[in-house]
């Protein structure tokens, strides 16, 4: 069965009257039927955000026509906009070090059809998960980086990362517990298309064994944060967060297990929302249409 053309339009622009009317009117005039629509006007930034999922029901209207003619409306309303093929599965690269729970979770969701993506590569500075990658028939790239590596060695390693991104036409890079700090240059190259996951204890519990530190302080909530990668370490625009309640009877290993479960769920949500084009940047924040 031939799938009818469907697209997802995302946009942001200065807030003003008539934006929804203009967009819906444009789609109606071009033989399109809206399947789902969400919008948000941010009073603080005076900006308007919108996501529209629609089907093209007029066979005479193609993507080229839609793009060319919507560009006129976009210019009139000072829009930043993107048009995505709703049937396209974005190409994803996963990066991991020696802790594999997020990697394993994403691979299972991918194989089960719960994540509409194509995972084209797994990159690691260790070899721990090459067999896991092979079991999913996904190319595994071992790019070692020894402790205390020079800036030149780090540059060589990151150049190889970018080569993999380029050769596979990667649209999203997921740091699934990749325990290396990306250089400012790599962060810039991946701006808006790289997601990281970390425990929500930052900055309170930095460094090694955060769950052990949290246990020593008797925390009652543990959680995780997924955010876009920027050169400001762990300070990129937040996409998703969640927490679980814990208590005094739990040892550090139990806290660690609970925390890792939360990390998996939070990262999976962020990845799913990204590939479904539900995340729009709003300065240092995000608008997420769920």
């Amino acid at each position: 069965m031939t799938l009818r053309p469907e697209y997802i339009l995302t946009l942001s622009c200065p807030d003003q009257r008539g934006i929804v009317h203009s967009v819906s009117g444009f789609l109606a005039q071009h033989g399109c039927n809206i399947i789902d629509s969400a919008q948000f006007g941010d009073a603080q930034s005076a900006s308007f955000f919108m996501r529209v999922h629609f089907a093209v029901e007029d066979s005479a209207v193609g993507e080229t026509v839609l793009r060319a003619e919507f560009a006129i409306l976009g210019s009139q309303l000072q829009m930043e906009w993107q048009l995505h093929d709703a049937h396209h599965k974005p190409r994803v690269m996963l990066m991991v070090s020696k802790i594999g729970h997020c990697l394993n979770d994403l691979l299972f969701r991918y194989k089960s059809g719960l994540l509409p993506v194509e995972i084209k590569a797994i990159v690691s500075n260790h070899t721990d998960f090459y067999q896991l990658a092979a079991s999913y028939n996904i190319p595994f790239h071992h790019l070692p980086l020894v402790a205390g590596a020079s800036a030149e060695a780090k540059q060589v390693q990151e150049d190889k990362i970018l080569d993999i991104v380029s050769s596979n036409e990667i649209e999203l890079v997921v740091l699934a517990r990749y325990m290396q700090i990306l250089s400012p240059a790599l962060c810039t190259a991946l701006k808006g298309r790289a997601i990281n996951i970390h425990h929500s204890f930052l900055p309170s519990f930095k460094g090694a064994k955060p769950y052990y530190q949290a246990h020593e302080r008797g925390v009652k909530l543990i959680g995780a944060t997924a955010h876009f990668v920027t050169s400001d370490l762990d300070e990129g625009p937040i996409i998703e967060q969640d927490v679980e309640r814990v208590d005094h009877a739990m040892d550090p290993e139990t806290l660690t297990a609970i925390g890792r479960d939360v990390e998996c769920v939070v990262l999976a949500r962020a990845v799913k929302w990204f590939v479904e084009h539900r995340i729009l940047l709003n300065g240092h924040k995000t608008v997420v249409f769920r």
Side-chain angles (χ1 to χ4, degrees):
M1 183 178 68
T2 302
L3 296 174
R4 64 178 181 176
E6 293 184 14
Y7 297 92
I8 297 172
L9 171 68
T10 58
L11 63 90
S12 62
C13 63
D15 201 1
Q16 55 199 289
R17 288 193 301 270
I19 301 172
V20 174
H21 174 77
S22 296
V23 172
S24 58
F26 172 91
L27 294 175
Q29 292 165 12
H30 288 77
C32 302
N33 181 45
I34 294 175
I35 298 171
D36 177 68
S37 179
Q39 57 275 330
F40 170 68
D42 182 11
Q44 185 175 14
S45 65
S47 298
F48 182 83
F49 304 86
M50 190 173 186
R51 177 188 183 273
V52 187
H53 179 192
F54 64 91
V56 179
E57 297 182 340
D58 185 344
S59 59
V61 177
E63 183 176 343
T64 302
V65 171
L66 284 174
R67 289 185 179 276
E69 298 193 4
F70 191 82
I72 299 171
L73 176 62
S75 178
Q76 292 172 349
L77 297 179
Q78 298 177 271
M79 289 180 181
E80 293 184 11
W81 61 277
Q82 291 183 309
L83 186 66
H84 310 273
D85 181 347
H87 297 307
H88 171 68
K89 293 184 178 181
R91 294 175 292 273
V92 174
M93 182 176 85
L94 305 180
M95 299 182 68
V96 65
S97 290
K98 293 178 74 67
I99 302 175
H101 57 285
C102 288
L103 172 68
N104 193 51
D105 180 76
L106 290 173
L107 290 174
F108 174 78
R109 293 172 190 266
Y110 156 68
K111 193 68 173 180
S112 302
L114 300 174
L115 278 179
V117 300
E118 292 293 342
I119 299 178
K120 294 297 186 180
I122 296 173
V123 170
S124 181
N125 53 326
H126 299 280
T127 59
D128 298 56
F129 300 111
Y130 78 93
Q131 288 181 326
L132 178 63
S135 72
Y136 284 91
N137 198 30
I138 297 173
F140 182 87
H141 303 267
H142 178 218
L143 304 180
L145 193 64
V146 299
S150 66
E152 292 76 14
K154 188 175 180 64
Q155 180 67 56
V156 170
Q157 192 244 21
E158 290 193 344
D159 286 344
K160 293 177 181 177
I161 292 173
L162 286 176
D163 286 343
I164 297 169
V165 169
S166 176
S167 63
N168 288 279
E169 299 181 314
I170 297 298
E171 297 163 82
L172 173 65
V173 174
V174 181
L175 275 59
R177 294 305 299 269
Y178 180 69
M179 307 307 287
Q180 292 289 328
I181 297 174
L182 305 188
S183 70
L186 185 55
C187 290
T188 298
L190 298 177
K191 182 179 180 181
R193 56 181 178 136
I195 293 175
N196 189 26
I197 184 71
H198 65 70
H199 49 82
S200 286
F201 301 128
L202 292 174
S204 299
F205 301 106
K206 290 185 177 180
K209 296 188 174 181
Y211 293 105
Y212 283 74
Q213 298 178 49
H215 181 262
E216 288 297 317
R217 294 291 301 274
V219 301
K220 305 306 180 194
L221 289 172
I222 60 175
T225 300
H227 64 90
F228 282 113
V229 174
T230 67
S231 56
D232 296 321
L233 183 62
D234 294 331
E235 294 186 15
I238 293 171
I239 300 169
E240 173 64 342
Q241 295 177 297
D242 207 346
V243 295
E244 284 287 342
R245 182 164 290 280
V246 296
D247 62 38
H248 63 278
M250 298 178 180
D251 59 23
E253 290 77 13
T254 301
L255 264 62
T256 300
I258 293 172
R260 288 181 175 178
D261 285 345
V262 179
E263 290 170 17
C264 289
V265 171
V266 168
L267 183 58
R269 287 177 189 158
V271 171
K272 188 171 189 292
W273 294 339
F274 181 94
V275 301
E276 292 178 349
H277 312 292
R278 297 183 180 277
I279 308 167
L280 283 73
L281 285 171
N282 181 16
H284 295 297
K285 301 184 291 185
T286 60
V287 173
V288 182
F289 291 121
R290 301 186 187 184

